Amino acid sequence: MLTIAVSKGRIYEDALPLLAEAGIIPVDDPKTCRKLILSTTRKDVQLVIIRATDVPTFVEYGAADLGIAGKDVLIEHGAESLYEPLDLNIACCRLMTAAHKDAPELKGRIRVATKYVKIAQSYFASKGIQAEIIKLYGSMELAPLVGLADCIVDLVDTGNTLKANDLEPRELIMNISSRLVVNKAAMKMKHEAISILLTQFEKTLANR
Ligand code: PRT
Ligand code: MG
């Protein structure tokens, strides 16, 4: 049995067509079904549905053999303990700094609100900017509006969320896409099954 960890939101939606090409079609829809383990049309493959930020943890400990996670989540988690054989090129976005549209260029000592504490720390350190990082778990956009922070570090796709809150994107930290990750022991123990799956994904991606 191969267990693949996926989060329920946009990564799941983008991953479905890719999984389907490998013959993996979940029997239930996680939007309407409360099951956390989903059987698929392949008897040898099941999905576990978890929070996006928990995917590296499940795969690291071997609770899932494979996982699909955003590069943002992988870097923030520190995923050296995982294999990352494939860029799936799905759920693409940009990790950026953003500030109020009327705010001047940020300098001196600044306060930054984000859920990406490690990434933000190393980004501002690399620029020689003294930043106090404030960890938030959501609604980062609010922080500059209420004086909690001078800027935020968050994911941007269309830019509509920033715009709706009078913020603007400032600097690109990195481009983000979702990656396939594999548990290191599983890569050895279940080598054949995993490499067949990798080849199937690679073929689908090459034809896109
Ligand atoms: O558990 P949690 O709620 O934290 O995760 P989730 O349910 O949102 O997980 P899921 O499966 O949706 O995956 C999140 C992953 O999708 C992230 O780790 C990214 O790798 C990727 N991704 C791609 C995004 C976005 N695009 C994105 N736009 N994740 C979040 N957003 C948010 C962003 O944080 C901001 O609030 O969308 C808003 C901005 O979108 P625009 O279009 O208004 O710019
Ligand atoms: Mg979400």
Side-chain angles (χ1 to χ4, degrees):
M1 176 65 82
L2 284 180
T3 300
I4 309 178
V6 194
S7 55
K8 194 152 81 173
R10 69 193 83 213
I11 291 182
Y12 183 81
E13 298 302 324
D14 284 7
L16 273 184
L18 205 61
L19 293 167
E21 294 261 3
I24 302 166
I25 300 168
V27 174
D28 292 300
D29 178 355
K31 276 203 289 275
T32 51
C33 161
R34 291 186 164 259
K35 276 186 193 165
L36 299 175
I37 301 179
L38 299 184
S39 308
T40 74
T41 45
R42 268 181 59 173
K43 280 200 189 68
D44 61 330
V45 180
Q46 63 180 9
L47 304 185
V48 290
I49 305 298
I50 56 183
R51 291 290 297 263
T53 44
D54 290 334
V55 169
T57 307
F58 273 68
V59 177
E60 189 178 329
Y61 285 91
D65 303 300
L66 304 110
I68 300 176
K71 188 67 182 171
D72 50 318
V73 165
L74 294 172
I75 295 180
E76 190 64 24
H77 177 85
E80 308 76 30
S81 52
L82 305 172
Y83 286 125
E84 190 190 304
L86 267 187
D87 183 347
L88 300 176
N89 222 354
I90 58 172
C92 297
C93 58
R94 288 152 290 148
L95 187 66
M96 302 198 68
T97 67
H100 193 274
K101 60 182 171 45
D102 300 328
E105 196 199 332
L106 302 170
K107 40 180 186 265
R109 193 178 160 75
I110 60 167
R111 280 208 312 231
V112 183
T114 187
K115 65 176 177 186
Y116 301 101
V117 171
K118 284 194 214 158
I119 297 176
Q121 252 154 7
S122 70
Y123 175 73
F124 287 106
S126 76
K127 300 205 62 166
I129 296 174
Q130 272 208 62
E132 180 187 345
I133 312 292
I134 300 172
K135 164 96 187 185
L136 293 180
Y137 293 87
S139 304
M140 266 74 76
E141 298 83 7
L142 186 58
L145 306 179
V146 295
L148 178 60
D150 303 298
C151 71
I152 63 173
V153 167
D154 196 11
L155 301 171
V156 182
D157 180 17
T158 62
N160 291 338
T161 306
L162 293 179
K163 210 168 177 186
N165 292 292
D166 294 326
L167 304 181
E168 63 181 17
R170 291 279 172 97
E171 282 161 36
L172 175 68
I173 300 178
M174 65 183 85
N175 288 305
I176 301 291
S177 57
S178 286
R179 312 301 167 97
L180 188 75
V181 287
V182 184
N183 172 270
K184 286 196 170 165
M187 193 67 134
K188 290 200 193 93
M189 310 286 287
K190 303 184 181 181
H191 188 262
E192 197 183 343
I194 290 175
S195 47
I196 291 171
L197 202 60
L198 284 177
T199 309
Q200 281 170 323
F201 286 149
E202 269 163 357
K203 268 195 200 137
T204 307
L205 293 170
N207 289 329
R208 280 194 169 173

